Amino acid sequence: MLKLLPLIPLFPLISSVLLMVTVGKMPKRLVAILGAGSVGLSAVTTLLVGLAFMESGQPHHQVLWTWMQVGAFSPDIAFYLDGLTLVMMSVITGVGFLIHLFSTEFMEEDASYSRYFAYLNMFVFAMLVLVMADNLLLLYLGWEGVGVCSYLLVGFWYQNPDNGLAARKAFVVTRVGDTAMALGLFLLFTELGTLDIQPMAAAANSQWQVGDTLPVLACLLLLGGAVGKSAQLPLHTWLPDAMAGPTPVSALIHAATMVTAGVYLIARTHELFLLAPPAMLAVALVGLITSLMAASTALVQHDIKRILAYSTISQIGYMFLALGVGAWTAGIFHLVTHAFFKALLFLAAGAVIHCLHHEHNIFKMGGLRTRLPVVFWSFLIGSAALAALPLTSGFFSKDMILLQAYELPTFGPWLWAGGLLGALLTAIYSFRLVFVVFFGKTQMEPDKQPGSRMAVPLSLLCVLSLVGGFFALPLVPLESVFPVASDHHPSHLIEGISIAIPLIGLAIAYFIYLSGQLNIDGLVNSAPGQMLKKFWFSGWAMDWLYDRLWVRPYKGLAYILRGEWVDVIYNSIVKVCQQLFVGLSHTQTGRLRWYATSMVFGVIVVLALLLGVI
């Protein structure tokens, strides 16, 4: 069964290519079968391969062919299967299939139905290549692939210029991180002589000591790449604007693919990071600060998708916090549970938008609890898991992160306290969303109900969001990948506080947004309150800052150089070429004799050149 490994990315690739070359000529029913069915086949194959892997218990390495040969550098197109790979493949194909199934109904009325699934399948293929690669160069190919696919999907409705702008922003901002990552790969290859992940880790451990400059520099460059793809400070600004794409795309980006790539990169190269404690601390601090920034920003947003976008940034921050404190298994466990409840929340938000005339403003909704019952229960369960209420899937993974963060020497209690503050804000904005959208006075009546192809994925994700944290199954494959965590457990008081904080956040949200017993209008409408709200609403003014630091100076420089003398040369070349093209166009007379004569003359000239006559 392990030999079936290459089929997992192959199925969505074949489907994507078929949908591209047929250019929308297939009936929609066949497009849906190809689009969703290919990912379903990958999910089934992942299950079979996973069972075989669990039985053998040994990593599996499969070389397909040699990619290139440049001196001693000969990277392969090869896949590496271990516990981490299996967990990531399961999330990508399993949750990805549910999102594809939801999309078959959600996008059914769109004229570009075939193009949508072509892009979506290519997205899944690129992410699978990323997580299955046995070397960092092939991983980087998948890394850039998801970047291109995100550009295509965010700007899917390209007729709207704002969507095109959001797509370009996502592409350009993530390129900054990708450049840092590429420099990190150059450094690793130069110093260690290989980009194959396992030999590279062995070489690093034999050549470098803990705290050496080179591993710290290499890990900081890799962190730059992870920050860009996973939308962490300071390269997070692209993700909220990426909501311009179709809602299932948002679910796929946030739950199963692109934004988890940075988390995977750090986890996959954890042996390098263990040699670089300063880089580990940087990962933890980036995660914590990003989590607090995004949670406070989500607290004041009006757009249902932007609230969920900032919640993703915040939750990825928790994963970075986990990786930074060495809680590798806890970080990946939270990645899995987050995939369940974030896919659920985005698909539920898509159902609300789908049934409410494409409305996004939560304050134009209300009272949908009885009108969209399936969506209401989906949102309630997803929000409970996001807030880490006890016994939901998010509770187990987030609690594990916070408790292991507390155990970190020196900075542990501070990181734990910051994580608790983020958990409090998360509970407040999560249930603010639930209470505003589904309770209170009805302001807009749904014009339809979600069909079975939307309801079934929502129901399955509800179950996973509720019980996904009870099972240790996602953690079993990781036991052989990461170092064993300390078995020391914080006091029951610390654990009790970690459990209580989300419940306090829920109570605060209830008294403010549902019962109205806690009136904060005076605080919000005060001058400091308005300034803070404006600052939070702008995402801590990061776009404003970047506009003044980079965009405006760049535009100003372009304006100054618009008449640069070098342009005269290039413009002259263009004009000469244009005139030549005009002259050549006159030779297109449609007369067969003229064409034959020209061909014979050309053959004579070529032969004369070859024979040295001229």
Side-chain angles (χ1 to χ4, degrees):
M1 286 298 178
L2 292 175
K3 295 297 183 182
L4 299 178
L5 188 64
L7 295 180
I8 297 173
L10 184 62
F11 289 134
L13 174 62
I14 292 173
S15 173
S16 178
V17 172
L18 286 174
L19 291 171
M20 286 180 185
V21 298
T22 55
V23 199
K25 294 179 180 178
M26 291 186 185
K28 285 188 174 181
R29 188 176 185 83
L30 182 55
V31 170
I33 292 172
L34 267 176
S38 61
V39 181
L41 283 174
S42 293
V44 172
T45 310
T46 299
L47 176 61
L48 297 174
V49 169
L51 292 174
F53 168 77
M54 297 286 281
E55 185 178 344
S56 70
Q58 297 297 320
H60 174 69
H61 183 246
Q62 191 166 347
V63 178
L64 302 183
W65 62 83
T66 298
W67 186 356
M68 63 182 80
Q69 182 80 45
V70 183
F73 182 56
S74 57
D76 295 321
I77 300 293
F79 298 137
Y80 181 79
L81 176 65
D82 64 356
L84 178 58
T85 311
L86 178 60
V87 169
M88 294 300 297
M89 289 193 310
S90 301
V91 170
I92 295 165
T93 58
V95 176
F97 169 68
L98 295 178
I99 295 171
H100 276 69
L101 180 60
F102 184 94
S103 296
T104 60
E105 181 178 338
F106 185 87
M107 295 294 293
E108 198 164 25
E109 297 177 4
D110 196 282
S112 300
Y113 195 66
S114 180
R115 178 167 62 91
Y116 170 81
F117 278 104
Y119 293 167
L120 212 62
N121 284 169
M122 189 60 73
F123 204 173
V124 171
F125 162 74
M127 190 65 191
L128 286 169
V129 169
L130 191 159
V131 301
M132 295 169 63
D134 87 321
N135 63 80
L136 290 179
L137 187 64
L138 184 58
L139 183 151
Y140 194 71
L141 177 67
W143 188 274
E144 291 300 318
V146 296
V148 172
C149 293
S150 69
Y151 168 79
L152 295 172
L153 286 165
V154 169
F156 180 76
W157 290 313
Y158 57 86
Q159 296 87 350
N160 185 339
D162 290 340
N163 296 346
L165 181 62
R168 290 194 298 276
K169 183 177 181 180
F171 193 77
V172 171
V173 172
T174 54
R175 290 291 77 71
V176 177
D178 295 353
T179 302
M181 181 180 171
L183 293 174
L185 299 189
F186 292 147
L187 174 61
L188 289 170
F189 179 73
T190 301
E191 296 298 325
L192 302 177
T194 181
L195 289 178
D196 293 342
I197 296 171
Q198 309 310 316
M200 181 191 68
N205 280 299
S206 65
Q207 294 183 32
W208 292 336
Q209 300 296 317
V210 175
D212 283 353
T213 302
L214 286 176
V216 171
L217 180 57
C219 289
L220 288 176
L221 289 170
L222 293 179
L223 174 59
V227 160
K229 272 292 186 288
S230 289
Q232 299 291 284
L233 275 170
L235 300 178
H236 68 284
T237 56
W238 66 271
L239 190 59
D241 291 349
M243 298 302 97
T247 305
V249 170
S250 303
L252 192 62
I253 289 176
H254 290 245
T257 54
M258 186 167 171
V259 296
T260 60
V263 178
Y264 171 78
L265 174 66
I266 296 175
R268 175 54 74 195
T269 56
H270 69 277
E271 293 189 61
L272 295 177
F273 278 85
L274 288 171
L275 296 171
M280 291 271 289
L281 181 59
V283 172
L285 291 176
V286 165
L288 179 60
I289 297 170
T290 303
S291 180
L292 294 175
M293 178 279 300
S296 61
T297 303
L299 199 56
V300 296
Q301 298 296 313
H302 301 158
D303 187 304
I304 189 171
K305 288 178 66 176
R306 287 184 76 86
I307 295 171
L308 295 179
Y310 278 108
S311 80
T312 296
I313 297 173
S314 181
Q315 296 306 303
I316 298 292
Y318 274 103
M319 298 174 207
F320 270 62
L321 173 61
L323 300 176
V325 300
W328 309 102
T329 300
I332 299 301
F333 187 27
H334 194 57
L335 185 153
V336 174
T337 59
H338 175 262
F340 298 154
F341 62 73
K342 188 50 59 69
L344 174 61
L345 284 168
F346 263 111
L347 295 186
V352 170
I353 295 167
H354 185 69
C355 299
L356 286 186
H357 320 286
H358 303 285
E359 181 58 61
H360 286 233
N361 191 332
I362 62 172
F363 293 106
K364 294 182 180 180
M365 301 175 187
L368 298 178
R369 183 177 76 262
T370 56
R371 288 161 176 79
L372 296 172
V374 173
V375 180
F376 164 66
W377 284 107
S378 300
F379 238 105
L380 185 63
I381 292 170
S383 297
L386 172 60
L389 294 189
L391 303 183
T392 60
S393 62
F395 163 76
F396 292 98
S397 54
K398 189 179 288 187
D399 194 53
M400 187 184 295
I401 292 172
L402 291 176
L403 295 181
Q404 292 193 38
Y406 184 84
E407 291 296 295
L408 189 72
T410 309
F411 296 103
W414 293 102
L415 295 174
W416 172 76
L420 284 183
L421 178 58
L424 178 68
L425 295 176
T426 300
I428 295 173
Y429 74 69
S430 298
F431 283 93
R432 167 184 179 259
L433 186 57
V434 172
F435 294 145
V436 170
V437 172
F438 294 97
F439 291 83
K441 183 181 178 181
T442 302
Q443 301 189 58
M444 185 179 294
E445 290 289 344
D447 62 349
K448 64 187 78 170
Q449 291 289 324
S452 59
R453 283 175 291 163
M454 294 171 70
V456 169
L458 289 175
S459 301
L460 291 174
L461 288 168
C462 280
V463 174
L464 291 172
S465 297
L466 279 175
V467 305
F470 281 98
F471 302 107
L473 188 61
L475 304 181
V476 172
L478 301 175
E479 293 176 352
S480 61
V481 179
F482 301 120
V484 178
S486 171
D487 57 359
H488 185 268
H489 197 75
S491 68
H492 292 301
L493 175 62
I494 296 298
E495 187 172 9
I497 294 173
S498 299
I499 294 172
I501 287 295
L503 296 172
I504 294 172
L506 168 59
I508 293 173
Y510 172 81
F511 287 122
I512 294 176
Y513 300 108
L514 189 58
S515 72
Q517 293 175 258
L518 185 58
N519 192 328
I520 59 171
D521 290 344
L523 181 62
V524 171
N525 294 327
S526 66
Q530 285 295 308
M531 289 179 60
L532 185 60
K533 181 180 178 180
K534 184 178 179 181
F535 178 67
W536 282 356
F537 188 82
S538 67
W540 288 19
M542 293 301 293
D543 278 317
W544 177 89
L545 179 64
Y546 289 158
D547 184 62
R548 280 151 182 78
L549 282 179
W550 305 109
V551 178
R552 291 189 181 185
Y554 181 82
K555 287 183 176 179
L557 182 62
Y559 182 80
I560 293 171
L561 298 177
R562 70 191 187 282
E564 191 177 9
W565 64 270
V566 175
D567 290 339
V568 175
I569 299 174
Y570 296 127
N571 291 334
S572 300
I573 294 173
V574 171
K575 288 180 180 179
V576 169
C577 290
Q578 287 175 338
Q579 293 303 315
L580 289 174
F581 292 150
V582 169
L584 287 172
S585 67
H586 293 310
T587 66
Q588 304 300 310
T589 61
R591 296 177 181 175
L592 186 60
R593 290 182 179 179
W594 166 249
Y595 291 158
T597 302
S598 301
M599 291 173 64
V600 170
F601 178 75
V603 170
I604 293 172
V605 170
V606 170
L607 289 174
L609 288 171
L610 292 174
L611 295 174
V613 176
I614 58 174

